[in-house]
Amino acid sequence: MEKEKLVFEKYLVSKGLKLTKPRKIILDTVFATHEHFNVDGLYDQIRKKHKDVSRATIYRTIPLLVESGLIKQSLRCLAKDHYEHTYGHDRHLHLICEKCGKIIEVESKEAESILKKLAKIHNFDIKEYNVGAKGLCRKCSD
Amino acid sequence: MEKEKLVFEKYLVSKGLKLTKPRKIILDTVFATHEHFNVDGLYDQIRKKHKDVSRATIYRTIPLLVESGLIKQSLRCLAKDHYEHTYGHDRHLHLICEKCGKIIEVESKEAESILKKLAKIHNFDIKEYNVGAKGLCRKCSD
DNA sequence: GATAAAATTGAGAATGAGTCTCAAAATAGT
DNA sequence: ACTATTTTGAGACTCATTCTCAATTTTATC
Ligand SMILES: [Mn+2]
Ligand SMILES: [Mn+2]
Ligand SMILES: [Zn+2]
Ligand SMILES: [Zn+2]
């Protein structure tokens, strides 16, 4: 939790911005768990302890967290944008159950290296990738 | 173009629906090119020739095209939903340039088989997958 | 520490893609 | 032609996200 704070603060300072109280609360809540999240869930979570952080500030802070490299927008499969940690997490792909919404995270060096190879062939400079499959999880496919 | 019509008509009949004039126009326009598309672009395209097809009907018809297996929703990386042909197109992955918006389509049996393998390990029944990477294309990375 | 300038915030209005409603038009069966 | 059913276009509605702006907080200057 301290490391994320350092990364964020460093980024903010480099942009002439400050780690204010609301930004700190948002940062802490985002990194309180490792789950994927969306703005509404984050807002509810924050509101349990802090009645004075607004949606507007959350919406304004998320791009800062993305820019600082701490989180990224994840594969969008539902109505709402959602996000996941990048800092401290290896690249992984997602198996998303269409029925129960469960997200299975899978690491694969193989997949990663194939993508890199393909990108090289096309002279494409990969910043980040999203690999996802939709279908039915074990429980839901019976 | 005729084959798509047969597929669509067969699907519609199976659901007790009809291949009406607006649906035919939408089908034709969707398959007039092989490009990815979104509703707004499709609407503009259609309007060049047919002033009497409404957005509502386009929004209503797209799920029918998806259900019939002719198109699918593609990796959403921008604000609007967008779609691409499935009928007559092999599975492929996308390299999307963040700067110019260019989409490079790449086939890869390797990537496909790895995904299948991973899905099997997790007892996950894949209905469809989206593999994509964001970054900079050759032209934009100089 | 008072004062002025700059950055940040919360509240709520505005936007816009996608969905829904409903009356009118098209279609199919008799 | 008559009726029941489906489909349509127009526009109202929803809801996640963005924008606006006045009030508050922070920082710099004296
Ligand atoms: Mn994840
Ligand atoms: Mn494609
Ligand atoms: Zn499931
Ligand atoms: Zn480019």
Side-chain angles (χ1 to χ4, degrees), chain A residues 6-34:
Chain A
L6 290 176
V7 171
F8 194 35
E9 203 156 20
K10 189 174 171 190
Y11 167 78
L12 291 172
V13 167
S14 80
K15 294 286 176 182
L17 306 173
K18 299 136 207 164
L19 184 53
T20 59
K21 237 175 288 176
R23 283 173 182 157
K24 180 67 169 43
I25 291 168
I26 292 165
L27 175 74
D28 285 347
T29 311
V30 162
F31 283 96
T33 76
H34 290 300

Side-chain angles (χ1 to χ4, degrees), chain B residues 2-141:
Chain B
E2 275 314 294
K3 280 194 179 175
E4 289 87 350
K5 189 183 154 194
L6 290 176
V7 170
F8 194 34
E9 203 156 21
K10 188 174 172 189
Y11 167 78
L12 291 171
V13 167
S14 81
K15 294 285 179 182
L17 305 173
K18 298 141 207 163
L19 184 52
T20 60
K21 238 173 289 175
R23 282 174 183 157
K24 181 64 169 43
I25 290 168
I26 292 165
L27 175 74
D28 285 348
T29 311
V30 163
F31 282 97
T33 77
H34 290 302
E35 309 285 313
H36 288 208
F37 65 95
N38 61 39
V39 169
D40 273 10
L42 184 56
Y43 180 74
D44 291 346
Q45 205 58 33
I46 287 172
R47 277 296 174 124
K48 288 183 185 170
K49 299 222 169 188
H50 306 90
K51 297 289 176 205
D52 48 349
V53 176
S54 72
R55 272 205 172 73
T57 300
I58 295 176
Y59 274 110
R60 277 188 288 242
T61 302
I62 282 178
L64 302 176
L65 290 169
V66 171
E67 266 293 302
S68 71
L70 288 170
I71 68 174
K72 71 164 190 166
Q73 187 162 7
S74 187
L75 197 61
R76 190 152 40 137
C77 46
L78 304 163
K80 301 173 187 176
D81 288 356
H82 76 276
Y83 301 89
E84 63 181 312
H85 300 178
T86 43
Y87 188 80
H89 286 249
D90 282 332
R91 287 244 179 83
H92 56 271
L93 53 90
H94 297 122
L95 305 175
I96 301 163
C97 180
E98 287 177 331
K99 200 167 172 189
C100 70
K102 184 179 177 187
I103 298 177
I104 301 169
E105 305 197 318
V106 185
E107 261 183 74
S108 170
K109 296 291 173 207
E110 267 181 295
E112 190 162 341
S113 73
I114 285 176
L115 260 180
K116 279 181 183 161
K117 196 180 76 185
L118 293 171
K120 196 166 188 180
I121 291 171
H122 291 270
N123 277 98
F124 190 89
D125 176 20
I126 290 188
K127 292 277 185 263
E128 80 167 35
Y129 63 77
N130 269 310
V131 180
K134 283 193 259 183
L136 296 174
C137 75
R138 181 177 8 191
K139 284 187 185 168
C140 293
S141 66

